[in-house]
Structures are given as C-alpha cells and as structure tokens.
Amino acid sequence: MKDKIFGVLQRVGRSFMLPIAILPVAGLLLGLGGSFTNETMLKTYGLMKIMGPGTVLNLILQVMSAAGNIIFTNLPVIFAMGVAIGMAKKEKEVAALASVISFFIMHASIGALITANGGADAMLEGAVADVCGITSLQMGVFGGIIVGLGVAALHNRFYKIELPQVLSFFGGTRFVPIISGLVYVGVGILMFFVWPVIQSGIYHIGDLVLKSGYAGTWVYGFMERLLIPFGLHHVFYLPFWQTGVGGTLEVAGKTIEGAQNIFFAQLADPSVKHFAVSATRFMSGKFPLMIFGLPGAALAMYKTAKPEKKKAVAGLLLSAALTSMLTGITEPLEFTFLFVAPVLYGIHCVFAGLAYMLMHVFKVGVGMTFSGGLIDMFLFGILQGNEKTNWIWIVIVGVGYFIVYYFLFSFLIKKMDLKTPGRDDVEEVKLYTRADVNARKEGAAANPEDAVSEGILVGLGGKKNISDVDCCATRLRCTVYKPELVQDSILKATGASGVVHKGNGVQIIYGPKVTVIKSNFEDYLETAPDEEIVPQAEEVAATKEENTTAENETKEVKETIIVSSPITGLAADLSTAPDEGFAGRMMGDGAVVTPENAQIVAPEDGEVVFVFDTKHAIGFLTDSGLSLLLHIGIDTVSLNGEGFQVFVENGQKVKKGEKLMEIDIDFLKAHAPSLCSPVLCTELDDNDKVRLLAEGEIKAGEPLFAIDRY
C-alpha cells in the first residue's frame, strides 16, 4: 500500500514538470520586459532616450512583459492541462481537452453560485478572483491540480469504456470529456462550500511557516533537496510558490498569494523598493547551491578521479557543472553521488537548508522561475539592483559554498573511497539520471493478452509493416508499407464487418466501438515484437453458403417496416456506392441517395442518437426500433464539418420531415469524392431482408426501402 501511494505521488511530481517547463521562458520575457520598461532603472543607467516610453524598443519590451505575464496569470488552467497529460496513461490529448473543459465548467459552476448568493461583494475579502474571465473563488494552481488529477483518474478509468450499441459512438475516448464535464459540475458546487474552509486552513499553515523564522526556512530548504531523489519535491515546494501556503501580500492594490506570484507581481510594480524576503526566502537559497556549491563538488570529483579516466570525466562533469550554474538543472550531479555515496547527498541536503537560511538572514530578495542558475540571478537579481535584492550576498555566500563543497567532497571521497565517476575500474564513466533510479525500482510490466489486437497485428502483416494507426467514427484506419502482407480473413476474424483497401491504406470496419479497439491496439503495439509477418500459403476451409433469399421466399413475411428517404435526390441500390465498405454492406444494409436539395430531414419519427463531431453523419433511432445511419457523401469526414449545418443535438426527439441538417451542395461537390449518401440500417437480425422501394428521383419523406421480417 505504501509503495502504491509513493508511486502515485511520484507520478504526480513528474506531471508537474510539464507546466513548470514553460516558466523559464515566461520568466525570461517578464524579467527582460519588466526590467527594461522600469523608468527608475532606465534613469539610473541613462537609458531613457534609447529604451524609454515612446521608443520602438520600449514597445517591444512591453509586448515581452505582457507575453510573460499572461503565462503566470493563467497558470491554473496550464496546470490543469499539464497534470492531466502527465497522469494520463494513454490518449493524452483527450485528457488535455477534457481537463480544459472541466476547468471551465468547475469555475463556471462556482461563479453561478457566487452570483446566486449575492455576488463577489458578499464573499470574504480576497476569496474571489477572475479566472479566465469567470468570477470564481481564488483557488490558484490548486484548482488546476484538482482538475488535472481528477480528469486523469476519470480518463484512465473510462477511455476504453464500451457502451451499449445504440450509444457506442460515445464510448472510448469520446466518453472522457462527457463524464469529466458532468463530474466537475458537482465538484464546482462542492468547492463553493468547501474551498473557503480550505482557503482559511491554507493561510493558517502559511502563517505557521512564515512565523517560524530562520529555522522554518532551513527545514524548507532541507526537505526540498531531500525529496528530489523520490521525485516528490514538486509536490512539496509548489504550494509555497503558488498558493497561500507561501503567504499573501498586497501588491499594486491586489492581494497576491504564493511566493513566486508575489515576486513576479512586485517585479512588474515599479514602486517596489525591495522585493519581499518573506516570499523570496522560498527561492533564493538555490542560487549558492546551483551556481557555486555543486560546481565545487564537480571539481572535487574530477580531481579525485583516476588519472587515466580524468579526460573522460572532465567532459562529463564540466557539462554537468555548467548546466547547474546556468540553468539550475542539477539532476546529473546530484544523482551521481546519491548513487555511490548517500552520505554525500545527506550532507548536501543539510547545506541546502543552510543556504536558504543564510539568504533569509541576509535579506536576499532574488526570485526565480524554477532554475536558480546564473540566468535567473542576472535577470531577477543583478539587473534589479542590489538595493532591491541584496544579490551580492549570493556571491559572498556562494564563494564560501564552492570552497566548502570542494574540500569536503574531496576529503570524504578519498577517505571513504567513494566510487564517484572515474574511480571505479569496472563501471563505465557516466552520470546518472532519475531514469536510472526508477530502473532500480521498477521492472518492465507486460501488457495483458489482447486477442483482437493480436489478430489485427497479424492481419496487417506485423508491427514492422504498420506505418500509422488512426480511426474515424466506424473504421480503424491504418497505413501499411506492404499492402500485399494484409490478410483480410484474419482481420475479419477479429470482429470486423469488412476491410477496405486504398493503396497503402487499410480501413477495418468495426462500427462505433472502434475508438476502444484503437486504444487497445496502440497499447498492444508498444510491446509487440518489431517484425514482419508474411502470410503462408492460403488454406481455405470449405464453407457452406446458405441461400437465404430462396429460403426467405418460402417463408411468410411477419412484419414490414418502411423507411422513408431523408433526402430529395436520386435513389439507387446500396451496391452502387463508390465505397467498398458501403457497397459491400459492411456497416449495414439500405440504399443510397444523391442529394439535389440542401435539406436533410428526419426519415421517420424518432430520436437523434448522435451527431458526429464532423457533422457529416447522424445516428438515428426510429420509434419502431430501427437504428439508422444517415451518412452524407463519401469521405466527407475529412472536411471537418465544413459544408454542413446541423440543427439538432444528441438525444433530441424529432418528427418525420423535421429538418436535421442543411448542406452546401456546391461546396461538397467541389471538395468530396462523391455526394452519394448511404442511408443504412446498422442493426439487422438474421431474419431481416432489405427491399429497395425506389430508384431514380425521390423526394424527402417518400418510401426508400422496406425491411421485411420473416
């Protein structure tokens, strides 16, 4: 149980890295833009004429500042997407879309309740904020994380769900945004009542940490480094950076919460005389470590390497040290001595806490995006001036850190004969990453058996023959390198109703459940052997064909159901459709009509079961119980809805002749392979037979075909 919880927390921590990765760019834009448009700074350095208000450079810098600021303003929705993508097992793009939808739905639900309960004025001061244009509760990135984690859990649970046939179009990945949206209506309502209590608790925790003084700062720095090997440091420090745990401060008339948000709000405020140390105490301690301490450790490891291996070690350690100094990315160096000498890492954690505490003692007010390297120090320390930041103490303390790290690491490596890079006769010279740590903990897990996916793989000629896999509403669309390796009989044995070949393209027709089949097949491909499967000599088993037509003629028709045409145009037998799938009756039986009128109407009384996202087709259930598919044109799915205007929605009850859709005939003639439109009954019993009632000109509402039931 403990390992399972740890594994989940580790994945949560990793998922934070995607939204965090944008912060350096945003900070760079805001840092340069905010600094070089600050009139006090421009006057100090005599740059008013070159970069002052009204100049081209000033305008460019203002745009840069706005571009950086918009990232920090919208971090909650960015975190919602990033966490959902990071935590989703497969089909990550679906999780991203569902998270954005759920984020807006949650805050819109909260906003509606705020309005219904007297508006923002009736809420506690500082509790309400503008979230992407919605008046909602001030939830910060916690709101985004709540959405991201919840949507990811729903996504992983439901992205392969199979629904009953009549609703199967909404199965698989299409179900994820639907269920997520519904769930987060409830979450929004719940948050309206719960979050103010949580908000109060967060502020109290922040007050406790903030009032703990230098000791609290040391503990923060120690824990932040200690959790890095486990990938949990993001879970620990982000609440301090982005929520009320890190304190609140009024900046330029607005209440800002979270240490990093406070710093960047002050960065954009020209009236600030000194950046709030109460906020930067959670950031500035990184600079002495990244720029000075770890490079000192790298030098110690180089000096203690064996002479014959120093050349190889030099390249590795130099690049790692420069990376640490410039960007603050320390993983290669830290994980190297974590592996070979945990005692060194323990000492490093102690000194990390001390670095944070010393920066707090010397009132260093330098913030950062996430790196703690020279770039951030220059932008947010040196460029802002020593009066506002006390950045000079980073250098003073940092020099001491370089000396201490160098001599202490050198002494311990020699004294304890620690096998740092270049000191082991057996192991190759290398630096380690988190992947090496995870590899020690995790074994490769095999995917469960999947007979359908295995059949598809064999039928397509093996993994090596597959170039691309996708799907539309009813077909698994694959591209292969060698079409001659495709075996239709094996593909049909997986449950496909037909196979269509178009050059190197293979379309395997499964019906609306295809999205689940696609997801399973993509999972299966990840661990399938990378080989080509060449068909053996065909062994065709003798089959007995029953003459159902003759048999039906001798039986009495028990019931006849008439299906009327939804289109005014030219009717014809389904076999004339210019598409193998439709002509071969692989998706159902019926007829085709080539439209001569723009209106598509309901063929009978019934219900619109689903409207395809691309608007080119409608699923329809008649009151008599027939499942129909009205598919306008051939290969019109590729038009992405252009040329179609739909007037109904899923679940809507309609009467015969009521307008469902209007099409742009001229546009479709110019952009679609054919206007020929199949009208299909997709679910027929063995005793059902379709009989064409009209050929040639037909008007909407006139009988098109009959279904005789024997």
Side-chain angles (χ1 to χ4, degrees), residues 630-653:
L630 316 181
H631 193 291
I632 310 305
I634 301 298
D635 281 344
T636 45
V637 63
S638 61
L639 299 179
N640 293 316
E642 195 170 354
F644 299 93
Q645 185 178 7
V646 178
F647 298 97
V648 291
E649 57 186 18
N650 300 334
Q652 184 174 333
K653 295 280 189 180

Side-chain angles (χ1 to χ4, degrees), residues 696-708:
E697 293 187 0
I698 190 172
K699 291 183 179 179
E702 294 181 349
L704 177 61
F705 61 83
I707 298 173
D708 294 327

